[in-house]
Amino acid sequence: MRLLSHLTLCVATLLALPCWADDQGQAQFVDHCAACHGLHALGGNGPDIRGTTLNDVVISTRGMDQMPAIDLSDAERQAIAAYLMSLAPEIAAQKLRFEAQITR
């Protein structure tokens, strides 16, 4: 039951993302990420990151492998994640389900 309520919340969040994400999230993405991940997050010097969740953004912006650390506020991270999730909601939904399962 708890997993079902979590999934319902995740789906509702995903459905609400595109309106908000197109504004702040896209601007933050272009400013901080597009140089390496491409203008539409399809990849370039960095990988395709469409569907990336907030947890992924938080971890990767700390720096890892070829990804440099990026100093972002929580609001900037949330906006970028919302934008990336809106680009591939199916992928984001799968990642959120997986994250929910491993945190149980």
Side-chain angles (χ1 to χ4, degrees), residues 29 32-49 67:
F29 175 82
H32 299 288
C33 313
C36 293
H37 294 283
L39 192 56
H40 302 288
L42 294 170
N45 292 333
D48 179 339
I49 56 172
M67 172 82 182

Side-chain angles (χ1 to χ4, degrees), residues 2 4 8 20 26 28 31-32 55 63 92 104:
R2 189 171 142 189
L4 180 61
T8 302
W20 180 76
Q26 186 174 17
Q28 294 298 328
D31 288 348
H32 299 288
N55 188 50
R104 286 196 284 161

Side-chain angles (χ1 to χ4, degrees), residues 13-32:
T13 302
L14 286 174
L15 292 175
L17 287 178
C19 297
W20 180 76
D22 286 343
D23 299 335
Q24 294 176 324
Q26 186 174 17
Q28 294 298 328
F29 175 82
V30 169
D31 288 348
H32 299 288

Side-chain angles (χ1 to χ4, degrees), residues 52-103:
T52 296
T53 64
L54 178 59
N55 188 50
D56 294 336
V57 171
V58 169
I59 292 169
S60 62
T61 58
R62 291 180 186 152
M64 57 190 295
D65 300 326
Q66 296 178 4
M67 172 82 182
I70 301 172
D71 186 28
L72 298 172
S73 69
D74 289 342
E76 289 171 323
R77 285 188 182 96
Q78 290 170 353
I80 290 169
Y83 174 67
L84 293 172
M85 290 170 64
S86 76
L87 295 177
E90 302 84 13
I91 294 170
Q94 288 176 348
K95 288 183 176 188
L96 289 170
R97 280 192 300 270
F98 177 73
E99 288 175 10
Q101 289 176 348
I102 62 172
T103 59

